[in-house]
């Protein structure tokens, strides 16, 4: 595995690889790898000849009162795990290599960013699309894989790629969960033992909602109320949102159908967690 920090060297590697007729799959990450990341890397190896993992804690996607300074970092451990996963390149630039002095461009997808997480994290998705656009230009991947836990991010990136005629195929990877149902996230490392068990209210609320739908519930407003009540009853947690939207365009649903997606953001102590599920009515 090569470790590259310079964007110019990364692009030289990508050009050479493309000229050799090989396909590249990018796994964009902010590091602190868990099994979810490793499973993205395995999927990437299945679909392309070469896998590039980017490891970059992107400062511009964090708001002023968010967790940029304390975001977990473990470069040695991460590079060991990436090497073991058999990836070709770990691209780990420094902030000043991605945003040199004078950088003043922003890639912004409207509408899809103005709902759900976009409401409580203004500017967050502009930071994401700007860095992902840069990564696509630097690494020139044929494929890029994103986890479905950040389903809004996934929808926004798909829209950016379609709107800008980008020649990269976006691949979604299902949410990877701990044995007890908690969706894997680098931010789970912030949770105390008590908070860790409170955090189970997210996946359990999703399970409860799936059961309600299987038992015939079709009214989105009623289901949202039940989910909110369930979460509120499960401890000292603060709901950011509970929403039922159409999976592709994130517009709110009134009646539940097979492409309805239930999405949650909940604060457990100081940690904001997200989770989601499709509400198939089979
Ligand atoms: O999902 C993430 O880890 C980040 O938002 C991403 C896509 C790597 C961009 O910084």
């Amino acid at each position: 595995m090569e470790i590259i920090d310079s964007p110019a060297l990364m692009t030289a590697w990508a050009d050479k690889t493309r000229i050799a007729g090989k396909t590249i799959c990018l796994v964009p990450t902010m590091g602190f790898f868990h099994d979810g990341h490793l499973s993205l890397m395995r999927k990437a190896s299945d679909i392309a000849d070469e896998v590039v993992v980017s490891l970059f804690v992107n400062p511009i996607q964090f708001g002023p009162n968010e967790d940029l300074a304390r975001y977990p970092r473990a470069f040695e451990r991460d590079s060991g795990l990436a090497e073991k996963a058999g990836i070709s390149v770990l691209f780990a630039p420094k902030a000043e290599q991605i945003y040199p002095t004078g950088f003043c461009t922003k890639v912004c997808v409207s509408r899809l960013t103005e709902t759900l997480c976009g409401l409580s994290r203004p500017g967050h998705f502009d930071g994401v699309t700007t860095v992902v656009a840069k990564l696509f230009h630097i690494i020139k991947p044929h494929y890029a894989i994103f986890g479905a836990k950040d389903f809004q991010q996934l929808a926004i990136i798909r829209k950016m790629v379609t709107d800008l005629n980008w020649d990269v195929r976006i691949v979604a990877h299902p949410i990877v969960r701990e044995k007890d149902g908690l969706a894997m996230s680098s931010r789970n490392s912030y949770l105390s033992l008590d908070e860790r068990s409170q955090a189970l209210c997210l996946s359990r609320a999703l399970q409860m909602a799936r059961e309600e739908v299987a038992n015939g519930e079709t009214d989105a407003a009623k289901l949202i109320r039940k989910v909110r009540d369930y979460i509120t009853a499960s401890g000292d947690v603060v709901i950011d949102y509970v929403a039922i939207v159409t999976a592709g365009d994130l517009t709110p649903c009134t009646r539940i159908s097979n492409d309805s997606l239930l999405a949650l953001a909940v604060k457990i102590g100081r940690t904001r967690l997200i989770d989601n599920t499709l509400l198939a009515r089979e």
Side-chain angles (χ1 to χ4, degrees), residues 28-30 54 56 58 61 124 128 131-132 146 150 153 157:
T29 82
M30 298 207 299
S54 62
F56 181 63
N58 176 32
Q61 71 184 72
H124 164 68
V128 171
V131 80
V132 170
F146 295 85
D150 298 289
Q153 167 172 282
I157 286 163

Side-chain angles (χ1 to χ4, degrees), residues 27-31 37 54-59 61-62 71 99 121 124-125 127-129 131-132 135 145-147 149-150 153 157 186-187:
V27 183
T29 82
M30 298 207 299
H37 293 111
S54 62
L55 193 173
F56 181 63
V57 181
N58 176 32
Q61 71 184 72
F62 289 79
Y71 196 84
Y99 303 118
R121 304 191 68 190
H124 164 68
F125 289 116
V128 171
T129 41
V131 80
V132 170
L135 292 171
I145 298 200
F146 295 85
K149 180 168 72 68
D150 298 289
Q153 167 172 282
I157 286 163
S186 304
R187 288 191 167 99

Side-chain angles (χ1 to χ4, degrees), residues 74-252:
F75 184 78
E76 294 306 324
R77 180 180 156 275
D78 282 353
S79 54
L81 288 170
E83 172 125 53
K84 238 168 131 189
I87 68 155
S88 315
V89 176
L90 185 64
F91 176 53
K94 301 205 172 35
E96 56 274 22
Q97 290 170 297
I98 294 294
Y99 303 118
T101 308
F103 184 89
C104 58
T105 297
K106 188 163 79 179
V107 179
C108 168
V109 175
S110 61
R111 215 164 39 75
L112 294 183
T113 53
E114 291 153 18
T115 178
L116 306 169
C117 291
L119 295 175
S120 49
R121 304 191 68 190
H124 164 68
F125 289 116
D126 296 350
V128 171
T129 41
T130 301
V131 80
V132 170
K134 289 204 60 144
L135 292 171
F136 285 177
H137 281 303
I138 294 167
I139 300 163
K140 305 181 179 177
H142 299 79
Y143 305 91
I145 298 200
F146 295 85
K149 180 168 72 68
D150 298 289
F151 78 96
Q152 186 175 11
Q153 167 172 282
L154 185 59
I156 289 166
I157 286 163
R158 283 193 198 285
K159 190 78 181 100
M160 172 180 85
V161 162
T162 305
D163 285 357
L164 299 181
N165 304 87
W166 227 306
D167 189 15
V168 53
R169 176 116 168 259
I170 303 302
V171 180
H173 190 278
I175 299 177
V176 180
R177 296 182 180 279
E178 305 284 356
K179 279 202 181 75
D180 59 8
L182 182 66
M184 289 193 186
S185 163
S186 304
R187 288 191 167 99
N188 292 348
S189 65
Y190 297 150
L191 300 169
S192 68
L193 269 179
D194 261 11
E195 290 170 343
R196 171 70 181 68
S197 50
Q198 278 184 1
L200 291 176
C201 71
L202 282 90
S203 55
R204 289 183 178 158
L206 297 178
Q207 176 60 28
M208 183 275 284
R210 280 193 299 267
E211 285 162 16
E212 289 285 325
V213 172
N215 291 333
E217 183 60 84
T218 57
D219 183 322
K222 271 197 201 151
L223 190 59
I224 289 173
R225 257 195 317 275
K226 286 181 192 166
V227 170
R228 295 189 73 97
D229 289 348
Y230 183 94
I231 294 173
T232 309
S234 58
D236 191 16
V237 302
V238 178
I239 296 175
D240 179 357
Y241 65 77
V242 174
I244 298 179
V245 296
T246 304
D249 64 7
L250 310 185
T251 52

